Amino acid sequence: MKTTKNIWKLTAVILFTVLGFVNAQAQEKTVYGYGFAYSYDTKVLYISNIVSGVKNSETYHDASDAALNAQWLAKMKTEDSKYFNYKMDKVGFMEDKGKVDEDRTAWIGKFKQQGFTIQYLTFSFKKDKKD
């Protein structure tokens, strides 16, 4: 009888541990990224603010680098009619906003040292709702 009771207790502990782990895995997380584009011909760097997206959301699709790239390209098309002459790039989504900010600041510094004009663009990443 005592052994059966212990087995049930152990089963309950394992079940709640597994459920807790699964729930922690699926928790919605905010992720951060930004876009930039540059041209050595014009010596201009376009750089966005840091944008946010989500992962593991019940409401929105996961933020993806492909979506960030497509939306950044659309933004550049509205900013410079010769956007196709620029090397387009983005820094994909990461959870560590501090690392993203550090990386963005480093790119700005690198291009400033090379005599580039820095154009800061306000950019909003649109989250894609699930159906």
Side-chain angles (χ1 to χ4, degrees):
M1 183 84 158
K2 196 172 187 175
T3 305
T4 306
K5 201 176 202 182
N6 286 340
I7 290 173
W8 281 111
K9 283 181 183 177
L10 182 59
T11 302
V13 168
I14 291 171
L15 178 65
F16 287 117
T17 302
V18 169
L19 288 175
F21 179 73
V22 169
N23 189 38
Q25 290 266 34
Q27 189 174 22
E28 182 174 301
K29 295 180 182 184
T30 302
V31 290
Y32 305 92
Y34 66 94
F36 66 102
Y38 58 92
S39 168
Y40 280 98
D41 293 334
T42 62
K43 293 287 244 183
V44 173
L45 167 69
Y46 287 101
I47 192 155
S48 80
N49 51 302
I50 295 173
V51 297
S52 64
V54 292
K55 298 260 181 172
N56 300 324
S57 172
E58 291 182 17
T59 308
Y60 299 100
H61 289 285
D62 283 354
S64 70
D65 293 352
L68 177 60
N69 192 54
Q71 291 182 36
W72 175 239
L73 176 60
K75 175 67 174 178
M76 279 300 297
K77 287 179 180 181
T78 67
E79 291 298 322
D80 192 318
S81 62
K82 296 183 180 179
Y83 69 92
F84 48 84
N85 290 330
Y86 285 79
K87 166 87 171 88
M88 301 291 291
D89 216 335
K90 81 321 189 175
V91 172
F93 288 106
M94 295 184 256
E95 288 181 36
D96 186 349
K97 187 176 183 181
K99 173 69 176 137
V100 172
D101 186 46
E102 182 182 305
D103 188 70
R104 182 178 172 273
T105 301
W107 277 111
I108 292 168
K110 174 188 171 188
F111 282 100
K112 274 186 179 178
Q113 285 180 339
Q114 295 179 35
F116 275 66
T117 300
I118 312 299
Q119 296 288 328
Y120 297 94
L121 299 181
T122 301
F123 172 56
S124 296
F125 180 77
K126 183 178 181 299
K127 297 173 193 152
D128 186 22
K129 272 198 163 193
K130 292 180 178 177
D131 295 328

